[in-house]
mmCIF file of all heavy atoms in Angstrom:
data_model
loop_
_atom_site.group_PDB
_atom_site.id
_atom_site.type_symbol
_atom_site.label_atom_id
_atom_site.label_comp_id
_atom_site.label_asym_id
_atom_site.label_seq_id
_atom_site.Cartn_x
_atom_site.Cartn_y
_atom_site.Cartn_z
ATOM 1 N N TYR A 176 14.309 -65.470 -199.701
ATOM 2 C CA TYR A 176 14.437 -65.543 -201.162
ATOM 3 C C TYR A 176 14.848 -66.948 -201.586
ATOM 4 O O TYR A 176 14.341 -67.489 -202.578
ATOM 5 C CB TYR A 176 15.458 -64.522 -201.656
ATOM 6 C CG TYR A 176 14.860 -63.190 -202.039
ATOM 7 C CD1 TYR A 176 14.547 -62.244 -201.062
ATOM 8 C CD2 TYR A 176 14.600 -62.868 -203.360
ATOM 9 C CE1 TYR A 176 14.000 -61.013 -201.407
ATOM 10 C CE2 TYR A 176 14.049 -61.645 -203.716
ATOM 11 C CZ TYR A 176 13.749 -60.719 -202.738
ATOM 12 O OH TYR A 176 13.206 -59.509 -203.079
ATOM 13 N N LYS A 355 20.821 -60.258 -204.618
ATOM 14 C CA LYS A 355 19.631 -59.433 -204.452
ATOM 15 C C LYS A 355 19.601 -58.721 -203.111
ATOM 16 O O LYS A 355 19.150 -57.573 -203.012
ATOM 17 C CB LYS A 355 18.377 -60.312 -204.593
ATOM 18 C CG LYS A 355 17.050 -59.599 -204.361
ATOM 19 C CD LYS A 355 16.718 -58.664 -205.479
ATOM 20 C CE LYS A 355 15.350 -58.022 -205.259
ATOM 21 N NZ LYS A 355 15.054 -57.005 -206.288
ATOM 22 N N GLU A 378 23.729 -59.646 -214.573
ATOM 23 C CA GLU A 378 22.408 -59.169 -214.971
ATOM 24 C C GLU A 378 21.371 -59.485 -213.906
ATOM 25 O O GLU A 378 20.385 -58.782 -213.763
ATOM 26 C CB GLU A 378 21.976 -59.806 -216.298
ATOM 27 C CG GLU A 378 22.640 -59.196 -217.521
ATOM 28 C CD GLU A 378 24.088 -59.640 -217.655
ATOM 29 O OE1 GLU A 378 24.422 -60.748 -217.157
ATOM 30 O OE2 GLU A 378 24.891 -58.887 -218.233
ATOM 31 N N THR A 379 21.623 -60.572 -213.127
ATOM 32 C CA THR A 379 20.706 -60.909 -212.032
ATOM 33 C C THR A 379 20.622 -59.763 -211.043
ATOM 34 O O THR A 379 19.566 -59.407 -210.549
ATOM 35 C CB THR A 379 21.185 -62.185 -211.301
ATOM 36 O OG1 THR A 379 21.286 -63.233 -212.243
ATOM 37 C CG2 THR A 379 20.224 -62.580 -210.202
ATOM 38 N N LYS A 380 21.785 -59.141 -210.784
ATOM 39 C CA LYS A 380 21.814 -58.029 -209.829
ATOM 40 C C LYS A 380 21.171 -56.776 -210.429
ATOM 41 O O LYS A 380 20.621 -55.954 -209.729
ATOM 42 C CB LYS A 380 23.264 -57.748 -209.423
ATOM 43 C CG LYS A 380 23.359 -56.818 -208.221
ATOM 44 C CD LYS A 380 24.781 -56.716 -207.716
ATOM 45 C CE LYS A 380 24.821 -55.878 -206.436
ATOM 46 N NZ LYS A 380 26.166 -55.723 -205.917
ATOM 47 N N GLN A 381 21.228 -56.632 -211.775
ATOM 48 C CA GLN A 381 20.718 -55.429 -212.410
ATOM 49 C C GLN A 381 19.249 -55.569 -212.833
ATOM 50 O O GLN A 381 18.654 -54.625 -213.326
ATOM 51 C CB GLN A 381 21.564 -55.122 -213.650
ATOM 52 C CG GLN A 381 23.017 -54.799 -213.316
ATOM 53 C CD GLN A 381 23.836 -54.573 -214.577
ATOM 54 O OE1 GLN A 381 23.408 -54.934 -215.654
ATOM 55 N NE2 GLN A 381 25.003 -53.988 -214.434
ATOM 56 N N LYS A 382 18.675 -56.738 -212.621
ATOM 57 C CA LYS A 382 17.373 -57.066 -213.173
ATOM 58 C C LYS A 382 16.303 -56.031 -212.844
ATOM 59 O O LYS A 382 15.507 -55.650 -213.691
ATOM 60 C CB LYS A 382 16.953 -58.449 -212.667
ATOM 61 C CG LYS A 382 15.695 -58.994 -213.326
ATOM 62 C CD LYS A 382 15.449 -60.407 -212.821
ATOM 63 C CE LYS A 382 14.192 -60.985 -213.432
ATOM 64 N NZ LYS A 382 13.908 -62.330 -212.932
ATOM 65 N N ASN A 383 16.272 -55.568 -211.590
ATOM 66 C CA ASN A 383 15.210 -54.674 -211.162
ATOM 67 C C ASN A 383 15.629 -53.204 -211.139
ATOM 68 O O ASN A 383 14.968 -52.383 -210.513
ATOM 69 C CB ASN A 383 14.717 -55.087 -209.762
ATOM 70 C CG ASN A 383 14.075 -56.461 -209.788
ATOM 71 O OD1 ASN A 383 13.395 -56.803 -210.734
ATOM 72 N ND2 ASN A 383 14.309 -57.248 -208.751
ATOM 73 N N LYS A 384 16.726 -52.884 -211.816
ATOM 74 C CA LYS A 384 17.177 -51.490 -211.863
ATOM 75 C C LYS A 384 16.381 -50.710 -212.906
ATOM 76 O O LYS A 384 15.874 -51.277 -213.871
ATOM 77 C CB LYS A 384 18.676 -51.414 -212.176
ATOM 78 C CG LYS A 384 19.555 -51.838 -211.010
ATOM 79 C CD LYS A 384 21.001 -51.548 -211.313
ATOM 80 C CE LYS A 384 21.888 -51.868 -210.106
ATOM 81 N NZ LYS A 384 23.298 -51.586 -210.383
ATOM 82 N N SER A 385 16.301 -49.412 -212.710
ATOM 83 C CA SER A 385 15.619 -48.562 -213.683
ATOM 84 C C SER A 385 16.423 -48.496 -214.971
ATOM 85 O O SER A 385 17.612 -48.810 -215.002
ATOM 86 C CB SER A 385 15.458 -47.147 -213.120
ATOM 87 O OG SER A 385 16.725 -46.506 -213.063
ATOM 88 N N ILE A 386 15.777 -48.038 -216.050
ATOM 89 C CA ILE A 386 16.478 -47.937 -217.338
ATOM 90 C C ILE A 386 17.613 -46.920 -217.252
ATOM 91 O O ILE A 386 18.602 -47.012 -217.960
ATOM 92 C CB ILE A 386 15.504 -47.565 -218.476
ATOM 93 C CG1 ILE A 386 14.777 -46.253 -218.163
ATOM 94 C CG2 ILE A 386 14.520 -48.683 -218.735
ATOM 95 C CD1 ILE A 386 13.956 -45.735 -219.335
ATOM 96 N N ALA A 388 19.539 -46.366 -214.503
ATOM 97 C CA ALA A 388 20.664 -47.030 -213.831
ATOM 98 C C ALA A 388 21.336 -48.013 -214.773
ATOM 99 O O ALA A 388 22.568 -48.113 -214.805
ATOM 100 C CB ALA A 388 20.181 -47.749 -212.573
ATOM 101 N N LEU A 389 20.555 -48.722 -215.569
ATOM 102 C CA LEU A 389 21.123 -49.667 -216.527
ATOM 103 C C LEU A 389 21.951 -48.939 -217.583
ATOM 104 O O LEU A 389 22.996 -49.415 -218.016
ATOM 105 C CB LEU A 389 20.013 -50.476 -217.197
ATOM 106 C CG LEU A 389 19.313 -51.524 -216.313
ATOM 107 C CD1 LEU A 389 18.089 -52.083 -217.034
ATOM 108 C CD2 LEU A 389 20.267 -52.639 -215.944
#
Side-chain angles (χ1 to χ4, degrees):
Y176 268 80
K355 177 71 177 175
E378 283 75 27
T379 303
K380 192 172 185 181
Q381 296 177 344
K382 188 176 179 182
N383 295 322
K384 287 188 176 180
S385 70
I386 57 172
L389 288 171

